[in-house]
Structures are given as C-alpha cells and as structure tokens.
Amino acid sequence: MESLNRMALELVEEAIEFADELAIAITELDDGATVLDFGHDVAGGIEAGLLLAEIQTAGLATIQNRLGEVAGAPVPHIDLTTDRPALALLCAQKAGWELDADGFEGLASGPGRALLAEEEIFARVGHEDDFDFATLAIEADELPGEAVAERVADRTDVGANAVFLPSFPSASLVGSVTAAARAAELATVRLADLGYDPLDIRSVSANAPVAPVASDEATAIGLANDTLAYGGQVHLTVDEEFGRFDELPSTASDEYGVPFEEILDSVDWNFADLPDGLFAPAQVTVDVSGGPTHAFGETSEDVLGDAFGL
C-alpha cells in the first residue's frame, strides 16, 4: 500500500525549496529534526497555508483558494476535493494526536499519525504506514523543540533526523487557511463516528471561508470552528444508504447558532464536555450512488458575519 509519509515528504521538500517565496522559515534542530515555521516568527500566507493543507492530506486532495462572500463582503474561501477520503482525511489530515513533551502541548495532524496507527480509524480503513521519514503538522502557540522531535521519532520508530514538523499557531493566516480546509474532514470524521463504513465514502468536496487572523489563540480557535460550523459546505458521494445522514451537519446540534468562543467559555474550554456533533460543517449533501441524494443543514451568514466583524 502507498505510503502517506512518502507522498507528504515530496511536498515538504517543495516547502523547504521555496521557503523564501512562501514566507516560511526552516530550522534544523541539534538532533537533526527539521522544523518548518509556517506562522510563528514569520508571516506565512495563503499560498503557504494551501501547501501545508496539501502536506496534511499527503497530497491526496486538490486544494485551492477562491474569492467568495460572507455577509456581502469579499472573503477568501478554500475549496478541497479528494477521491481518497479515507486516506487523505481520516488517516492523514485528521487532528488526532494530542502531542505533549517537556511542557509543550500541541495538536498534531498529518501522515505521521499513520506510522503510529493507534487510533481505531486506522484498523477500520486498513492502513498502517511504513516509511523511514515522519511528517507531522503541529498546531500550537509555540514552535516545537528537540523534546517534541524526540517524542515523535520514538513513537513513529524513525530517526530524529527523519522527522519533519511543519508548525503554525491558530492565530495566523496559515492557521485560518488550514482550518477552512477542514470542512471535508469534519464531515468524513462525523460520518465514520456515526458508524458508517469509511471505505464506502468515495469522494468528498467542500468549501469554507477563511476566518480573519485573530489577535490571540483562544479567539482564533473559536473563529476556526465558527467558519466550519456556520460556513462550511460539503458534498459526499457514497456507496450505501444510511439512516443517520441527517446528523452530519452542525445544525443537528442543540448549540447551533451560538458563537464558538461563547460555547467554549461555557465549558471552561474543556472540549471533552462538548457533543461530537457540534464539530461539523454547516451544510451537507450526500449523493448515494445509484440511489437518492440527501441535503441537510444550512449556513448562517448572520452568525458568521458577526464572528468575522462584518
């Protein structure tokens, strides 16, 4: 089976080669690991965010930027399409590794997770990666250091000098772009969590607006979830009918309509206290091959416009 980390490595090499043009920075740690700064001490940008989203999906998704509208104002939107959703979205892009080491805390996504393959979804998809290099994207409020690289190397069973850590804060343009690229992932994760066979999901297309860059991490996290829950639109082509497609959009949650920062404040930012259905795109269409087409949910220009300050 193809290696997600091998495909991602080609994109990492592209990021390193064009670091100046992308406004990112490359640092080799003393243990040989490579940290790619996508927005901590550098500006980054939309192009950098698009490339990082490609890295997170191991190159198995087509990701583009276009200009759309929110509350009547022009706002960039991110479009993502993949015909390999189980691998691209579940085994790679999903932010499924809470990484901590020597006081560092970050949320890790990307194909490096497939080398560990401890999450249940890997058994359901039937994928475990085997490669000599690990690429793990880290969302955190600080750059990872050697302790993080050593932890990743140990868990993925590769040498520290074979670890690549593209990293970014939520409160950055790259953070806003990569968050908007997650609408398809949210719908796919939600459908798999509801019990649907992930291998019966054939194709996923999605779009979501890019949130304004926030001044702090908490606000940025709230905006990232707002842009998906109130502006994310997803189309899925699947093989089998299912009785729970109506639970896919965020409108199925009782909390729908409330800005995420307010929702998170109500539970003291303990994500475990929130229902899974809250983390979902606003609007979902499901096309069952040879069968019916279902459409559920709706976007909210009012909530999104207020959240974006428009």
Side-chain angles (χ1 to χ4, degrees):
M1 184 175 290
E2 62 213 286
S3 167
L4 300 177
N5 284 274
R6 179 192 62 75
M7 291 185 287
L9 183 59
E10 297 176 5
L11 295 167
V12 169
E13 291 173 342
E14 179 181 338
I16 293 172
E17 180 179 358
F18 295 101
D20 290 343
E21 291 86 347
L22 293 166
I24 64 175
I26 313 301
T27 301
E28 183 175 318
L29 304 179
D30 289 343
D31 61 4
T34 301
V35 173
L36 296 83
D37 181 355
F38 273 81
H40 290 278
D41 299 323
V42 294
I46 288 180
E47 291 294 335
L50 293 173
L51 181 55
L52 182 52
E54 284 193 68
I55 291 170
Q56 289 172 306
T57 56
L60 291 174
T62 298
I63 306 168
Q64 299 175 319
N65 170 55
R66 64 175 171 84
L67 195 61
E69 289 188 359
V70 171
V75 171
H77 283 58
I78 303 302
D79 295 330
L80 181 150
T81 298
T82 179
D83 290 328
R84 306 293 299 279
L87 290 176
L89 308 179
L90 300 178
C91 295
Q93 190 187 26
K94 181 183 177 183
W97 186 347
E98 295 183 8
L99 186 60
D100 63 90
D102 196 23
F104 177 94
E105 293 184 355
L107 188 59
S109 60
R113 293 173 40 250
L115 293 167
L116 191 61
E118 288 185 346
E119 302 162 50
E120 178 196 8
I121 194 62
F122 289 97
R124 292 177 64 188
V125 173
H127 181 80
E128 181 175 353
D129 224 33
D130 182 16
F131 195 57
D132 294 332
F133 293 83
T135 297
L136 200 66
I138 300 178
E139 184 175 2
D141 59 6
E142 61 179 315
L143 283 167
E146 288 186 32
V148 175
E150 295 287 348
R151 175 67 57 83
V152 172
D154 179 64
R155 296 299 308 281
T156 59
D157 196 27
V158 303
N161 62 349
V163 171
F164 293 89
L165 303 175
S167 306
F168 63 98
S170 305
S172 66
L173 187 48
V174 168
S176 293
V177 170
T178 56
R182 289 190 175 276
E185 176 218 328
L186 283 188
T188 306
V189 168
R190 178 66 176 151
L191 187 52
D193 286 347
L194 289 171
Y196 196 79
D197 186 343
L199 297 178
D200 284 338
I201 307 172
R202 292 303 176 191
S203 184
V204 186
S205 297
N207 78 82
V210 176
V213 179
S215 60
D216 60 85
E217 290 293 279
T219 301
I221 292 170
L223 283 172
N225 285 286
D226 286 335
T227 195
L228 297 167
Y230 301 115
Q233 297 176 300
V234 181
H235 178 281
L236 303 99
T237 301
V238 303
D239 283 342
E240 301 294 335
E241 182 63 281
F242 188 55
R244 302 181 70 179
F245 286 141
D246 62 323
E247 298 178 49
L248 286 177
S250 58
T251 51
S253 169
D254 292 338
E255 291 82 359
Y256 184 83
V258 180
F260 255 84
E261 193 166 7
E262 185 177 328
I263 294 172
L264 290 165
D265 280 340
S266 71
V267 295
D268 295 324
W269 288 77
N270 186 350
F271 283 80
D273 289 342
L274 295 174
D276 292 338
L278 189 58
F279 299 96
Q283 196 170 30
V284 180
T285 297
V286 184
D287 178 8
V288 182
S289 296
T293 298
H294 306 280
F296 302 103
E298 60 183 7
T299 59
S300 176
E301 291 281 302
D302 290 342
V303 175
L304 205 56
D306 286 346
F308 283 20
L310 298 173

